[in-house]
Amino acid sequence: MGASDPEVAPWARGGAAGMAGAGAGAGARGGAAAGVEARARDPPPAHRAHPRHPRPAAQPSARRMDGASGGLGSGDNAPTTEALFVALGAGVTALSHPLLYVKLLIQVGHEPMPPTIGTNVLGRKVLYLPSFFTYAKYIVQVDGKIGLFRGLSPRLMSNALSTVTRGSMKKVFPPDEIEQVSNKDDMKTSLKKVVKESLQHPLSAGPETGSTPSAVFQTSYEMMMQCVSRMLAHPLHVISMRCMVQFVGREAKYSGVLSSIGKIFKEEGLLGFFVGLIPHLLGDVVFLWGCNLLAHFINAYLVDDSVSDTPGGLGNDQNPGSQFSQALAIRSYTKFVMGIAVSMLTYPFLLVGDLMAVNNCGLQAGLPPYSPVFKSWIHCWKYLSVQGQLFRGSSLLFRRVSSGSCFALE
């Protein structure tokens, strides 16, 4: 979910809106809190307590309304909503699978077609490797159209397990309750208290002010969910990777999910299901912190609110709707743009994790001459760095030939 992986990069991991609003609404919330405290010290006039003038019933808070309004993931609709997300994720995964399949074959250094001569923007002749579409046509010629979906079943199961895990964790540790309960002293011995306190940070506002969680709190919460879901779904990810790279040597060692589990456990033990996990986790952590904190910094300090004279930029009394809040529009896309930029920087973690998942597993794609037998993921990283191949497979359209385009024996 390396970061650029559709599983992992899901740049819709939430938190951008909360981070942007935390700084912008701090002054208004502080003034409101001061007013409430002043009214608490000075009792209201007696006529307001008269039976003929009863006080209006207290309105439920926004958080309670969100939880009881039947929205996404709330109330009786939670199972239906979770099933909808799983089905939607399965559809996106199936449509994007040929793209991931071709990328993985390029990552392991499989180049079955010779390069072609082309020209760059300066008009110079250069050698280009086959693009995604040419590579996909070659796979169809060898395995048929169904061959583009090799390894799809374990990948669907992996994504479904990840989605269900994240949904279950949100139910067990809701972010709003974590923020409110973490400052109470009557749960010091609770295991949940330990987990919740580990997510707290001095920058997070307390429940007295009624403010939203800070960028650090949101990112810590997302990181916890992403790491747990990644660890649980990684064995299926390993199986999916190995099913796909069998195209290189035309093997049939890994066919079904259950048989693949038996083979891996018999040959490599329990640790065989978690090869390549560390670089994937590091990539997820770097992606989340980099994306969220950069987006928060831009929204809080670089986006100017002066372009709108009213909240939300809806205009004024003389000319309603005359001004559109450019700041609001910028903030809505900041995290998406930051996700694309940070995913490019974290791509080497994705590459190393995928290569370690297939390295020395008995398949031709993980053995010389395609790849040396790596001692660890750090060894793999250093090897790719020396070869200048830390970003191999990141581009699928314009692929120029380089000196280290394929693995070679050390």
Side-chain angles (χ1 to χ4, degrees):
M1 232 221 166
S4 63
D5 194 345
E7 305 169 21
V8 180
W11 296 311
R13 284 176 181 155
M19 291 183 286
R29 286 191 297 269
V36 171
E37 184 177 357
R39 287 194 296 271
R41 291 193 302 265
D42 301 329
H47 73 276
R48 292 188 179 179
H50 197 276
R52 293 182 181 180
H53 302 278
R55 293 186 179 180
Q59 299 294 329
S61 64
R63 289 175 180 173
R64 291 180 181 178
M65 292 178 65
D66 291 340
S69 60
L72 290 179
S74 63
D76 297 335
N77 292 333
T80 304
T81 303
E82 186 171 324
L84 178 62
F85 275 115
V86 171
L88 181 61
V92 174
T93 300
L95 292 176
S96 63
H97 188 75
L99 184 67
L100 180 68
Y101 185 19
V102 173
K103 174 184 286 189
L104 180 63
L105 294 180
I106 294 174
Q107 286 177 338
V108 299
H110 184 54
E111 301 291 348
M113 293 168 287
T116 57
I117 300 177
T119 56
N120 58 13
V121 293
L122 301 178
R124 298 178 180 177
K125 292 184 178 181
V126 294
L127 290 176
Y128 285 101
L129 292 169
S131 65
F132 162 75
F133 299 101
T134 305
Y135 212 124
K137 290 180 180 178
Y138 173 78
I139 295 176
V140 172
Q141 293 176 358
V142 176
D143 283 347
K145 294 181 179 180
I146 195 65
L148 288 173
F149 299 93
R150 181 195 294 262
L152 176 61
S153 297
R155 185 164 176 245
L156 288 175
M157 297 173 62
S158 174
N159 286 0
L161 179 59
S162 177
T163 302
V164 172
T165 301
R166 293 172 67 89
S168 301
M169 291 187 65
K170 286 183 179 180
K171 295 177 183 178
V172 177
F173 303 107
D176 293 341
E177 293 185 5
I178 292 177
E179 181 193 10
Q180 293 177 358
V181 177
S182 57
N183 289 329
K184 295 181 180 179
D185 295 329
D186 56 351
M187 294 181 62
K188 290 183 178 180
T189 59
S190 173
L191 177 60
K192 289 185 179 181
K193 174 66 177 177
V194 177
V195 177
K196 292 168 184 176
E197 283 187 343
S198 66
L199 298 178
Q200 273 295 0
H201 191 274
L203 295 178
S204 298
E208 293 80 11
T209 62
S211 61
T212 57
S214 68
V216 174
F217 174 82
Q218 288 280 4
T219 306
S220 300
Y221 184 77
E222 293 179 26
M223 181 183 67
M224 179 189 70
M225 291 195 302
Q226 178 61 27
C227 290
V228 173
S229 62
R230 168 70 72 178
M231 287 187 291
L232 294 179
H234 191 74
L236 292 170
H237 175 75
V238 172
I239 295 174
S240 177
M241 296 292 105
R242 296 185 179 184
C243 289
M244 286 188 278
V245 298
Q246 289 183 137
F247 177 83
V248 176
R250 312 305 300 165
E251 297 104 339
K253 181 178 180 180
Y254 300 95
S255 54
V257 175
L258 295 179
S259 61
S260 299
I261 292 176
K263 287 185 176 67
I264 294 176
F265 184 77
K266 182 178 179 180
E267 297 177 1
E268 305 173 48
L270 188 61
L271 294 179
F273 295 103
F274 298 97
V275 288
L277 175 62
I278 295 178
H280 273 298
L281 288 177
L282 291 177
D284 291 342
V285 171
V286 173
F287 174 84
L288 284 172
W289 283 99
C291 177
N292 287 1
L293 294 184
L294 282 176
H296 174 67
F297 176 81
I298 293 175
N299 289 336
Y301 300 103
L302 300 183
V303 178
D304 188 8
D305 291 326
S306 62
V307 296
S308 174
D309 59 351
T310 59
L314 298 180
N316 48 41
D317 295 337
Q318 290 75 18
N319 188 13
S322 60
Q323 290 183 340
F324 176 77
S325 178
Q326 298 180 8
L328 183 61
I330 293 174
R331 287 193 177 104
S332 63
Y333 291 101
T334 300
K335 189 174 182 182
F336 176 76
V337 176
M338 289 298 99
I340 296 177
V342 176
S343 66
M344 295 179 182
L345 299 177
T346 57
Y347 179 81
F349 292 99
L350 170 68
L351 174 61
V352 172
D354 289 344
L355 292 181
M356 290 303 299
V358 301
N359 187 252
N360 195 26
C361 65
L363 300 178
Q364 185 176 338
L367 296 171
Y370 285 96
S371 168
V373 176
F374 297 118
K375 301 176 182 178
S376 64
W377 70 271
I378 298 178
H379 178 206
C380 179
W381 184 292
K382 292 180 179 179
Y383 179 83
L384 292 174
S385 179
V386 171
Q387 298 292 325
Q389 293 295 308
L390 278 175
F391 291 89
R392 180 174 57 198
S394 59
S395 176
L396 297 179
L397 295 179
F398 303 101
R399 304 171 51 227
R400 293 182 56 179
V401 175
S402 61
S403 58
S405 60
C406 293
F407 275 122
L409 284 172
E410 288 186 319

